[in-house]
Amino acid sequence: MALDFLTLYIVILLNSLTVSVIWAAVSYVYRSFITARIWLAGCLLSVIGGAVLSLQGNEGALVPAIVGNGFVIFGFCLFWVGVRHFYGAGGGWKSSVAITIVSMLCMVAAFESWNWRNVVYATAQSVPMLLAAIFLLRRPERKLGDWIAAAAMLIGVAGHAVETALNFALMGGYTDRSFYNVVESYALLCVIFSGVVWNFGFVVMAMDRLRDEVAALASKDALTGLPNRRLFLERLAAEVMRSGRTGRPFAVFIIDLDLFKEINDEHGHAAGDDALRHLAHILSSHLRPTDFPARYGGDEFCAVLPETTAAQAKSCASALVEAVRSQPWRWQGRSFPLSVSLGAAVWSKASPTQPESLMEQADQALYAVKKRGRNGCEVFSPALAQSDAA
């Protein structure tokens, strides 16, 4: 039994309208999520296209057929544009306009041939779906949402491929109109279904992105962009466990920006924030790629340095202190010298230490530097602990 094409066009309209409501809600709640607006525009264009197509009836009238499919084709192109935008690739706008214009011109030229008209419809709608699916499948790290969206789009392309093959078969006399109507209506229904599924895939992609952003907010310091205290303590605990298995040493740094209160008092808190960002940049630039700097709180920074002996820790600490000293902080067109006090502690197989004890040792070393007048570094040693006790 063939499905009524007028009914199918109305289903396209209602389906697109439903998905539009979803993307409108996402766009309203997450206003910085620009991709949602692009996908919303694609859905709305499909709604408009479905409304216009419903006016042509089962036989098809020229203006609503051309205009309606033009809206739908450009809407499909926006799904591809949105996928590119979601992953930072950009572009696709000019190609989408070109695809739509060329498709509409081909539809006008082929309108007198009912079969060729359907071939153009199917091909034009398949192109952006295929481009989006290829883009998603070529990504090096594909997540579940990528697979869902790409698979659904390929199903849609397959539905259009069946429709195209049927039109060629009908023109070649290999099938009759009644069989064509039955199969084509279900092929179109397959395309409609795929649209629901690929939008669900987009929603999963968006959920993954928003979840990653929330995780980043929970683990990164908003001011400096460095990992925060919670993530640092997790990394420190993991490094203690790793070194416990391998027996290899690692170092912990605690770094204080000297005279930070004076910066805030003399220049304001905005200046203090900028000085902290300056220090964070120096730490990120001068530590090794394998090291793990973090903002511990206030003007205090920390770092975990894997595979680091006491001698290496001393050398790296001295280099950091010198880097801060030699790179003045600039504020409102003026340069201001900065300095730091740095305390270090080293985990070793000979004297394995828990994270809390390592932090206490690094803090003792930091206190020793401050007692000497700041602007320097110290690595914790048993002799240092004895002098503090005395």
Side-chain angles (χ1 to χ4, degrees):
M1 181 182 71
L3 297 176
D4 180 75
F5 282 96
L6 177 59
T7 302
L8 287 175
Y9 292 139
I10 295 174
V11 170
I12 293 173
L13 187 154
L14 295 177
N15 170 67
S16 299
L17 184 60
T18 301
V19 180
S20 296
V21 171
I22 296 174
W23 287 121
V26 174
S27 300
Y28 179 78
V29 175
Y30 302 101
R31 300 188 183 186
S32 61
F33 186 28
I34 304 301
T35 304
R37 300 182 188 181
I38 299 175
W39 287 333
L40 171 61
C43 291
L44 291 176
L45 285 173
S46 296
V47 170
I48 297 171
V52 175
L53 286 171
S54 66
L55 301 176
Q56 69 169 319
N58 282 327
E59 294 303 320
L62 175 62
V63 174
I66 302 300
V67 174
N69 276 281
F71 279 121
V72 172
I73 290 165
F74 192 67
F76 277 32
C77 287
L78 290 189
F79 292 128
W80 168 54
V81 171
V83 167
R84 293 180 60 86
H85 185 273
F86 183 82
Y87 285 114
W93 293 98
K94 292 181 180 179
S95 298
S96 297
V97 172
I99 290 170
T100 304
I101 292 174
V102 170
S103 300
M104 293 178 71
L105 292 175
C106 290
M107 282 186 273
V108 172
F111 196 80
E112 295 302 320
S113 171
W114 181 81
N115 295 115
W116 278 109
R117 187 199 322 167
N118 287 337
V119 170
V120 175
Y121 292 165
T123 303
Q125 293 175 15
S126 295
V127 169
M129 287 193 291
L130 189 60
L131 289 172
I134 291 173
F135 182 89
L136 289 170
L137 293 175
R138 291 182 65 182
R139 292 193 67 252
E141 297 181 4
R142 293 175 293 276
K143 296 185 178 180
L144 178 61
D146 302 326
W147 286 110
I148 293 173
M153 287 179 168
L154 291 177
I155 290 173
V157 171
H160 278 317
V162 170
E163 181 183 3
T164 300
L166 283 171
N167 277 280
F168 283 119
L170 191 61
M171 287 188 287
Y174 299 107
T175 187
D176 56 33
R177 182 68 179 268
S178 61
F179 177 79
Y180 172 89
N181 286 340
V182 171
V183 178
E184 186 193 29
S185 60
Y186 285 102
L188 183 55
L189 192 61
C190 181
V191 176
I192 296 171
F193 167 77
S194 72
V196 176
V197 178
W198 83 55
N199 274 283
F200 174 72
F202 292 164
V203 171
V204 174
M205 289 161 55
M207 290 172 61
D208 284 340
R209 170 70 59 81
L210 294 172
R211 182 193 61 197
D212 292 343
E213 290 179 357
V214 169
L217 289 173
S219 60
K220 283 194 174 183
D221 174 57
L223 177 65
T224 64
L226 292 177
N228 61 13
R229 176 174 180 159
R230 183 182 67 83
L231 195 57
F232 170 79
L233 292 176
E234 290 178 2
R235 178 60 180 268
L236 176 59
E239 197 64 29
V240 168
M241 292 181 64
R242 188 185 74 85
S243 292
R245 293 192 304 268
T246 64
R248 296 179 178 177
F250 74 92
V252 174
F253 286 178
I254 297 180
I255 307 151
D256 269 5
L257 180 58
D258 294 334
L259 304 176
F260 179 65
K261 184 177 183 300
E262 282 77 355
I263 294 175
N264 280 329
D265 291 344
E266 293 181 19
H267 305 287
H269 290 284
D273 289 347
D274 194 69
L276 293 176
R277 285 191 289 266
H278 175 76
L279 177 55
H281 174 72
I282 292 175
L283 294 180
S284 300
S285 302
H286 286 78
L287 289 173
R288 301 167 302 185
T290 54
D291 297 336
F292 191 83
R295 185 185 178 197
Y296 202 68
D299 64 328
E300 189 171 80
F301 293 79
C302 294
V304 173
L305 289 74
E307 307 282 340
T308 302
T309 64
Q312 290 170 331
K314 179 66 175 179
S315 175
C316 182
S318 299
L320 270 180
V321 171
E322 179 57 32
V324 175
R325 185 189 299 125
S326 62
Q327 296 183 39
W329 162 60
R330 293 189 60 81
W331 176 250
Q332 295 182 343
R334 297 171 58 194
S335 294
F336 300 90
L338 295 180
S339 67
V340 293
S341 299
L342 191 157
V346 178
W347 186 99
S348 68
K349 188 176 181 181
S351 56
T353 311
Q354 292 303 307
E356 297 80 6
S357 299
L358 270 175
M359 292 297 290
E360 290 176 4
Q361 291 176 0
D363 201 50
Q364 281 185 269
L366 176 66
Y367 179 71
V369 175
K370 291 186 175 182
K371 281 182 64 177
R372 294 200 303 262
R374 304 183 181 90
N375 192 19
C377 62
E378 183 67 66
V379 178
F380 177 85
S381 66
L384 179 67
Q386 291 173 5
S387 66
D388 284 345

